[in-house]
Amino acid sequence: MRRSNPLSARKTDTGSVLVIGLGRFGCHLSGALTALNHEVLPIDRNPDQVQRWSAQLDRVVQADSTEEGALRQLGVADFGRAVVAIGASVEASVLTVLALAELGVPQIWARATSTKHAKILDSVGAHHVIFPEAETGERVAHLIVSRMLDFIEFGDDFAIAKVCTPEAMVGRPLAELTPTERYGVRVVGVKLPGERFRYATDATVIAPGSMLIVEGDIGQVQRFAELS
């Protein structure tokens, strides 16, 4: 085991995050977490990946994450959260989750590449299983075929989207909009021209060129976006 930068095992707070696997997803995740001012420790067993990303990330460790002993030496048990971002090897992904669970990491997030993979990860100790490729594909599909500017889908057919303001809403307070004009969605935020997003209230009057944040079921949100 070799480290690209020295790191002594020490107790950290629950804001620290361990990211295992420095493929495209793991690297972008590590960078995003760092930008959010979280302590991040990225790990990969491939020395080439460690060398490649050590210049872009504050610290990167080369280690075999399937070995519980190697993780213990790194003080992994002191991290509040761990993300297993390994996508190329199902075996390595599963063994890593198992090792983290044995070490008692409070929150284990794991990337799955298939439904069967997800079931195995869940059975060996993952608390949250994610499908980044599938989720991104579904999100982009909605953006391509609709007039939504951004889109987040949750469970039970619920979504939040950013849309342009329909012309019929301009100059009117939200309280005056009829159920038909709302298409069943709720306007929760508004960005008036030249201003930042803010919470919407019944008294909010929509100006031309505004953007809205709306919530509702996916069909309602899509139909509302088509009005813009």
Side-chain angles (χ1 to χ4, degrees):
M1 178 177 66
R2 177 179 63 81
R3 304 182 193 182
S4 62
N5 292 303
L7 175 70
S8 58
R10 67 185 189 280
K11 192 71 176 178
T12 58
D13 61 32
T14 55
S16 59
V17 184
L18 182 75
V19 178
I20 301 176
L22 289 177
R24 186 174 301 173
F25 172 63
C27 288
H28 283 296
L29 177 64
S30 296
L33 289 168
T34 299
L36 292 171
N37 297 317
H38 285 272
E39 181 181 9
V40 181
L41 177 60
I43 295 176
D44 198 283
R45 68 191 302 176
N46 186 333
D48 293 333
Q49 286 294 88
V50 171
Q51 184 64 34
R52 177 184 178 187
W53 294 105
S54 60
Q56 300 182 42
L57 300 171
D58 289 341
R59 59 189 180 209
V60 185
V61 174
Q62 182 189 337
D64 185 350
S65 62
T66 66
E67 295 291 337
E68 183 180 331
L71 296 179
R72 191 184 301 276
Q73 289 181 25
L74 292 172
V76 163
D78 296 328
F79 279 75
R81 284 162 284 191
V83 181
V84 179
I86 300 171
S89 170
V90 172
E91 180 182 6
S93 168
V94 171
L95 291 177
T96 298
V97 169
L98 182 59
L100 294 170
E102 290 293 326
L103 290 170
V105 176
Q107 287 191 47
I108 303 172
W109 295 70
R111 171 191 181 185
T113 55
S114 68
T115 302
K116 181 179 288 187
H117 185 194
K119 290 180 179 179
I120 297 172
L121 292 171
D122 180 70
S123 69
V124 298
H127 303 106
H128 308 276
V129 177
I130 54 178
F131 295 84
E133 291 84 0
E135 292 166 3
T136 298
E138 291 174 2
R139 175 176 172 272
V140 172
H142 281 288
L143 295 177
I144 289 172
V145 300
S146 74
R147 302 190 67 177
M148 292 182 286
L149 304 176
D150 207 349
F151 174 84
I152 301 175
E153 181 179 352
F154 299 88
D156 301 322
D157 196 38
F158 182 81
I160 295 177
K162 179 169 71 173
V163 301
C164 294
T165 300
E167 186 175 347
M169 294 177 61
V170 172
R172 302 169 60 192
L174 292 177
E176 290 185 2
L177 300 179
T178 67
T180 300
E181 290 171 319
R182 288 179 182 266
Y183 274 74
V185 305
R186 179 186 176 203
V187 179
V188 295
V190 59
K191 184 182 186 302
L192 301 176
E195 299 183 13
R196 302 178 66 179
F197 271 106
R198 65 189 188 195
Y199 290 111
T201 67
D202 285 344
T204 299
V205 177
I206 309 300
S210 299
M211 286 187 291
L212 307 177
I213 301 296
V214 301
E215 64 180 19
D217 72 42
I218 295 174
Q220 292 170 332
V221 170
Q222 288 178 327
R223 288 191 294 272
F224 184 80
E226 290 302 317
L227 299 175
S228 61

